[in-house]
Amino acid sequence: MNHRTTLLAFFLLISVGLWLSQPVASYAFDCQSSGSGDWTNPAIWSGCGGGYPGQTTNDFVTIQSGHTVTLDNDLPSALYRLVIESGATFDLNGNALAFSASGGTPGLENSGTFTPDFGTIYFADSYGTAVHDVTGALNLAYVEIAGVGVTFNADALIDYELVIETGGYVYNTAPTYGPNSALTYRAMGDYTAGAEWYANVSSGQGVPRHVFVELGWVGFDPATLTLGAADRTLTGDLTISFSSFVAPPTGYSLFVGGSLSTEFGDFDHNGGTLVFNGSGGQYLYPNLGRIDVNNLIVAAGSQVILPDPSMDGGVFADGTVTNNGRLSQTIYISPFETETSVVFIREDSLSGNDTKYIGLDIELVNVSTPHDGYDITVSIGGNQDCTTDPTSAPVQRCFDISLWPSLGTGESATVTFYYLPGEANGNPEDGLTAYRWNGTNWQSAGTTVDHSSSGDPRWVQVAGISEFSPFILDDQAPTAVTLSTLTAHTPPAAPVFLLILLVILSLGISARDRVWR
């Protein structure tokens, strides 16, 4: 044997050795369906040693074309792989199915019909930490990942919930999240967002609907979710419960299409920008605490509803506040008070003139104390046209005000309306006054008392206001009889999404409580 032949034989031997050393499929039985029926009926299986798949660890299961198999109970052991052939049907039937392996390519492959029926798929590390794959078109109700990685594909749709448990992760490719779905982080320690939530992607695959952060030992040892240096988008609600959440840093943004609430959790803005860009009412809700943001943007067409800080905690901004949509807030005037300020965002504290974005001040006149208490609701449209009048361009801040109960005979209010210099819209600011929409046209709201045409913010103070509705600031009465973007808004009484999601999740709670370890 010459030298070249010897080298070739050596490298061939090494290559074969490396190939043999790779993790390979290690499964107990190669089970194939021989007919249709319930999963636990041994008569519909061949190759299972006289039983049914899942009685032993790591069975390879194939449901063959033309067969329909229904999972009629949870299985005692995790499968290695389930293949649903074209023309075959598998019904999870609301039960739970687990996968776990130490090597090879474990997971779930569908070329036929997969029906979840609110069932749960578990990928766990009970028998190994091999990366699982999910291939084919699949509507998955509930998926939990613990201790292993799972790679999905764009045709894998999470209908209700994907849960990341301790050690679990999505490897490379995320699923598509459905309109009623949630991505839940429930690991026992800190977690850094990965492929389960795509970075720098604003829609489609890898962009979650709702996100729940429930890390650590809830109530005892909270942990932290860190998003990292990238833009992140969710199209629904972000709920931080007894955990910490670190948003993208300076130069990056978190885009929220729904509400943001901290249920005894902590939101760390990390120097980045928080953008609300949903189409309906979005709550920014601290829940008895406070939320500190850096830069806050309300996108055009979006409405952010803030709580009464005296009851539910305040919202504070270290950076800038840009309102291109609407900010709404309801403030309670107690029976022994006759004046209040509607301050949407503050800089540091709830006291004094510490304001970052203020709507108005109101003083009730000829209202005796104690009274029955008042709720004043103010909605501010910023940086936008308030009327369709081509001859008069009012200040580009639109006020929608309601007071409940309404004022009585002889009672009135003095209101100070605030606006930003950039919203003046070329008006002679010393000549500004307030006009109120009476349902038909714009009329003088009252008697202008004072102005501030310098500084930031600017303001106009008007006395003798006895009725409330949409208001604008202008140096002349608009002649148009229609509103532009300004319409009366009543903040919803409660986040309806939570009620819907609770009902959906409750249907699958029995399956979710069964976790393989």
Side-chain angles (χ1 to χ4, degrees):
M1 182 180 294
N2 60 34
H3 182 65
R4 289 186 62 184
T5 304
T6 303
L7 284 176
L8 181 62
F10 173 76
F11 283 117
L12 181 61
L13 181 63
I14 293 295
S15 298
V16 171
L18 289 173
W19 179 76
L20 290 174
S21 68
Q22 296 298 309
V24 296
S26 176
Y27 47 86
F29 290 105
D30 186 359
C31 304
Q32 299 187 18
S33 66
S34 56
S36 299
D38 289 339
W39 183 290
T40 59
N41 179 8
I44 70 166
W45 299 103
S46 62
C48 275
Y52 60 83
Q55 289 181 292
T56 55
T57 301
N58 288 7
D59 287 340
F60 192 119
V61 184
T62 302
I63 301 177
Q64 300 192 92
S65 180
H67 298 161
T68 297
V69 176
T70 300
L71 186 65
D72 53 324
N73 209 338
D74 296 345
L75 301 178
S77 297
L79 303 180
Y80 171 78
R81 189 170 184 86
L82 171 62
V83 176
I84 306 165
E85 291 185 345
S86 177
T89 299
F90 172 62
D91 187 351
L92 193 56
N93 195 33
N95 290 299
L97 192 63
F99 294 86
S100 185
S102 58
T105 55
L108 175 60
E109 177 183 343
N110 179 47
S111 298
T113 301
F114 175 88
T115 305
D117 279 345
F118 298 102
T120 301
I121 299 292
Y122 291 99
F123 299 98
D125 58 352
S126 307
Y127 309 114
T129 57
V131 174
H132 294 61
D133 73 343
V134 175
T135 60
L138 287 155
N139 280 55
L140 302 165
Y142 300 96
V143 177
E144 296 199 20
I145 306 174
V148 299
V150 179
T151 183
F152 294 88
N153 66 86
D155 292 328
L157 178 70
I158 302 295
D159 280 333
Y160 298 118
E161 190 177 29
L162 170 62
V163 180
I164 305 294
E165 299 274 4
T166 301
Y169 62 98
V170 171
Y171 179 75
N172 286 339
T173 308
T176 298
Y177 295 93
N180 298 313
S181 68
L183 168 61
T184 300
Y185 294 91
R186 201 175 289 149
M188 288 295 101
D190 295 340
Y191 199 92
T192 300
E196 77 287 348
W197 187 350
Y198 280 173
N200 303 315
V201 175
S202 60
S203 63
Q205 181 184 4
V207 176
R209 176 62 173 162
H210 305 300
V211 173
F212 292 91
V213 183
E214 304 169 357
L215 295 172
W217 293 93
V218 174
F220 299 97
D221 186 19
T224 300
L225 174 67
T226 302
L227 295 192
D231 290 340
R232 301 274 181 174
T233 297
L234 66 154
T235 61
D237 311 308
L238 171 60
T239 305
I240 307 165
S241 300
F242 294 96
S243 306
S244 294
F245 178 94
V246 180
T250 303
Y252 299 96
S253 298
L254 173 65
F255 296 88
V256 180
S259 298
L260 192 162
S261 61
T262 55
E263 298 177 354
F264 304 100
D266 178 64
F267 178 87
D268 181 350
H269 62 65
N270 199 24
T273 299
L274 175 63
V275 181
F276 285 95
N277 62 349
S279 57
Q282 301 174 253
Y283 286 83
L284 181 51
Y285 189 61
N287 191 18
L288 301 178
R290 60 184 283 163
I291 291 180
D292 289 84
V293 302
N294 184 41
N295 301 320
L296 174 65
I297 297 176
V298 181
S302 300
Q303 179 188 18
V304 174
I305 302 166
L306 299 155
D308 185 337
S310 65
M311 298 182 181
D312 298 306
V315 178
F316 304 84
D318 293 334
T320 61
V321 176
T322 304
N323 178 23
N324 296 323
R326 303 192 69 83
L327 282 170
S328 299
Q329 188 174 47
T330 298
I331 300 293
Y332 178 66
I333 304 175
S334 71
F336 293 95
E337 296 176 323
T338 57
E339 57 185 77
T340 192
S341 296
V342 179
V343 181
F344 296 99
I345 312 290
R346 293 182 180 269
E347 188 165 350
D348 184 58
S349 69
L350 293 176
S351 61
N353 296 319
D354 183 14
T355 64
K356 180 68 74 168
Y357 193 97
I358 184 170
L360 57 81
D361 300 328
I362 183 170
E363 179 182 0
L364 303 180
V365 179
N366 295 329
V367 174
S368 60
T369 58
H371 48 74
D372 292 332
Y374 290 89
D375 283 321
I376 180 170
T377 299
V378 179
S379 184
I380 299 291
N383 298 305
Q384 56 194 268
D385 294 329
C386 304
T387 76
T388 58
D389 184 0
T391 64
S392 175
V395 170
Q396 291 185 318
R397 177 175 289 203
C398 319
F399 298 83
D400 192 357
I401 308 170
S402 66
L403 185 71
W404 188 89
S406 57
L407 295 175
T409 302
E411 298 175 338
S412 66
T414 298
V415 177
T416 302
F417 299 87
Y418 291 92
Y419 64 97
L420 298 175
E423 296 171 324
N425 201 23
N427 283 277
E429 297 179 67
D430 287 336
L432 288 176
T433 189
Y435 294 90
R436 187 181 69 83
W437 180 256
N438 62 14
T440 303
N441 52 45
W442 296 100
Q443 66 179 40
S444 177
T447 303
T448 300
V449 177
D450 203 356
H451 304 83
S452 172
S453 56
S454 62
D456 185 0
R458 316 282 174 83
W459 50 267
V460 176
Q461 189 178 72
V462 179
I465 296 176
S466 58
E467 295 181 274
F468 295 91
S469 61
F471 290 79
I472 60 170
L473 303 177
D474 206 340
D475 66 329
Q476 59 180 312
T479 58
V481 294
T482 57
L483 300 170
S484 180
T485 58
L486 184 61
T487 54
H489 286 262
T490 301
V496 177
F497 73 88
L498 285 177
L499 301 178
I500 295 173
L501 192 60
L502 284 173
V503 171
I504 291 171
L505 293 178
S506 67
L507 294 174
I509 194 169
S510 60
R512 291 179 53 225
D513 286 342
R514 298 184 290 268
V515 181
W516 276 260
R517 289 288 183 269

